[in-house]
Amino acid sequence: MTNYKTVLSIAAGAVALLQSACKTPQQNGSNPVKPVIVTDAVRYDSDDPAIWINKTDPSKSLIIATDKDADGALYVYDLEGKTVKEKVVSNLKRPNNVDVAYGLLLNGKPVDIAVTTERMTHKLRVFSLPDMKPIDQGGLDMFVGETEPEFRDLMGIALYTAPKGEIYAIVGRKNGPKDGYLGQYLLEDNGSGAVKATLVRKFGSFSGKKEIEAIAVDNELGYIYYSDEQVGVKQYYADPAKGNQQLALFATEGFKEDHEGISIYKLTDSTGYILVSDQGANRFQIFSREGTKSNPFEHTHLKTVPVMATQSDGSEVVSSRLNETFKHGLFVVMSDDKTFHYYRWEDIAGADLKKK
């Protein structure tokens, strides 16, 4: 005689297996994506990377990354993850985040730059690329005159290149007011071939829950994004003339703990993906770069990707071909074991997202 309970149990089990197989990586806790390269370790505390593309020979592009300590440094890596020792900048006072920009006019000539926040001196440090020579006459003072605790302790940095070529530094700090947490500074020639910084505005709301560190700029669309940790990602205009109103707050759900590094993968000048580090879960939440037809500032959640990098603060991504390994772009992620992980974009995208 047929045991109907047994049949039903088997059927239920088959359905459960089918449902499990059909679930997304976010739902079924799939294996994390593995990096193709893990860099040499820094000395103290890896924190944030930036990618400089060598436009003459992309295979010779560089990764500039912070070693966050009172005796810290900017490490420079090649695309194999090996330290380019002659380019490493030592004796920095707790460099936190770093970003790069192309073509700052100094002595009438375009110079590519790497800019890092030096927390203990309250200064930006600026270096020419690819030689990593200082061009800041010892550093640029930030948030001058502010006296509240940690209001001058620099953390986040992103560089915005305006349509006419002006380059701005968007600077965050360990603590700040509920309104005006970020500073935007114009970077330009001081008249003798070095860089000077002029404060243009203070903007950006702060929840007061933890801090604001991760900042990213979309040059083509003209937006600034930053992580208000444990709250979400906020969006503002990058052009100071367009005002200080908040345009969007997204990524407010599904994060285990802190919202951290933000990076933007660009398919075209207006389309692509925004990747946000879900630090406590060792994964990245991915959102649409473009908005919806009804709301240009609505960024839809598209995918959640677990990675091998742990407790990731900083990250950066480019979509251009660099070499045979990184044909569709490179995603660089900080890991708290003193290293940085290199991922191929197609491994992050999987079958769900597009590649350039």
Side-chain angles (χ1 to χ4, degrees):
M1 181 179 289
T2 303
N3 188 326
Y4 289 103
K5 289 185 177 180
T6 301
V7 172
L8 289 173
S9 177
I10 293 172
V15 171
L17 285 173
L18 181 61
Q19 288 175 335
S20 177
C22 293
K23 285 183 178 180
T24 65
Q26 182 181 11
Q27 293 170 316
N28 66 17
S30 64
N31 293 329
V33 177
K34 295 180 180 179
V36 293
I37 291 169
V38 176
T39 67
D40 295 337
V42 302
R43 185 178 179 187
Y44 298 108
D45 183 12
S46 54
D47 196 87
D48 184 58
I51 302 170
W52 174 74
I53 299 175
N54 185 322
K55 295 180 179 178
T56 302
D57 184 353
S59 70
K60 294 181 179 178
S61 299
L62 300 171
I63 310 302
I64 299 92
T66 58
D67 183 15
K68 188 173 63 176
D69 189 81
D71 182 27
L74 283 180
Y75 274 64
V76 180
Y77 298 106
D78 62 20
L79 293 182
E80 300 298 323
K82 301 300 181 184
T83 306
V84 185
K85 294 181 180 178
E86 67 272 15
K87 296 183 185 294
V88 173
V89 179
S90 302
N91 302 312
L92 296 175
K93 301 299 182 183
R94 200 172 176 82
N96 208 104
N97 284 20
V98 63
D99 200 9
V100 304
Y102 301 84
L104 179 67
L105 287 179
L106 299 176
N107 283 330
K109 297 180 180 179
V111 177
D112 296 348
I113 58 172
V115 184
T116 190
T117 49
E118 196 174 42
R119 191 190 300 185
M120 296 177 70
T121 66
H122 317 311
K123 293 180 179 180
L124 292 186
R125 299 304 314 276
V126 186
F127 303 90
S128 57
L129 283 165
D131 55 4
M132 294 301 291
K133 300 299 182 184
I135 51 175
D136 57 8
Q137 294 187 324
L140 310 174
D141 284 309
M142 298 285 103
F143 300 107
V144 175
E146 300 211 25
T147 58
E148 294 294 321
E150 300 181 322
F151 272 35
R152 297 193 65 203
D153 292 1
L154 306 184
M155 293 188 69
I157 176 76
L159 300 179
Y160 165 53
T161 301
K164 293 183 179 180
E166 305 95 334
I167 295 178
Y168 297 86
I170 316 302
V171 186
R173 42 212 171 141
K174 183 69 175 176
N175 195 10
K178 292 295 181 70
D179 187 53
Y181 194 103
L182 301 181
Q184 183 163 351
Y185 292 81
L186 176 65
L187 303 181
E188 55 188 342
D189 195 320
N190 70 353
S192 59
V195 180
K196 70 174 181 178
T198 304
L199 178 65
V200 175
R201 64 168 172 165
K202 294 176 183 176
F203 72 101
S205 68
F206 173 47
S207 67
K209 285 195 172 183
K210 192 169 182 184
E211 61 197 27
I212 294 171
E213 180 178 9
I215 310 168
V217 175
D218 189 326
N219 286 328
E220 292 80 6
L221 293 180
Y223 299 129
I224 293 168
Y225 300 93
Y226 65 84
S227 290
D228 191 337
E229 294 185 18
Q230 300 183 358
V231 174
V233 176
K234 297 179 177 180
Q235 179 180 5
Y236 287 77
Y237 285 117
D239 182 353
K242 292 187 176 181
N244 297 338
Q245 70 271 31
Q246 182 174 296
L247 303 174
L249 169 63
F250 63 98
T252 58
E253 298 178 348
F255 282 72
K256 182 177 179 180
E257 193 176 345
D258 290 345
H259 301 70
E260 284 285 358
I262 307 171
S263 45
I264 303 170
Y265 184 89
K266 299 172 182 177
L267 290 168
T268 68
D269 280 351
S270 60
T271 64
Y273 308 107
I274 300 172
L275 296 87
V276 183
S277 176
D278 189 350
Q279 184 182 36
N282 302 328
R283 63 191 183 186
F284 282 81
Q285 309 266 15
I286 303 180
F287 301 83
S288 60
R289 178 188 179 202
E290 61 271 24
T292 63
K293 289 183 178 180
S294 59
N295 182 357
F297 308 119
E298 181 180 348
H299 302 282
T300 305
H301 179 264
L302 302 173
K303 186 178 183 179
T304 300
V305 181
V307 294
M308 292 291 290
T310 52
Q311 293 291 316
S312 183
D313 267 7
S315 61
E316 185 56 285
V317 67
V318 295
S319 59
S320 56
R321 178 191 176 99
L322 299 181
N323 59 17
E324 284 299 311
T325 303
F326 304 108
K327 296 179 181 179
H328 302 283
L330 166 62
F331 184 43
V332 182
V333 176
M334 162 265 173
S335 183
D336 70 352
D337 59 359
K338 302 184 180 182
T339 68
F340 296 86
H341 291 193
Y342 295 3
Y343 296 87
R344 301 188 310 165
W345 173 253
E346 53 266 43
D347 294 337
I348 297 294
D352 308 288
L353 305 179
K354 297 178 181 179
K355 56 183 181 289
K356 190 169 180 181

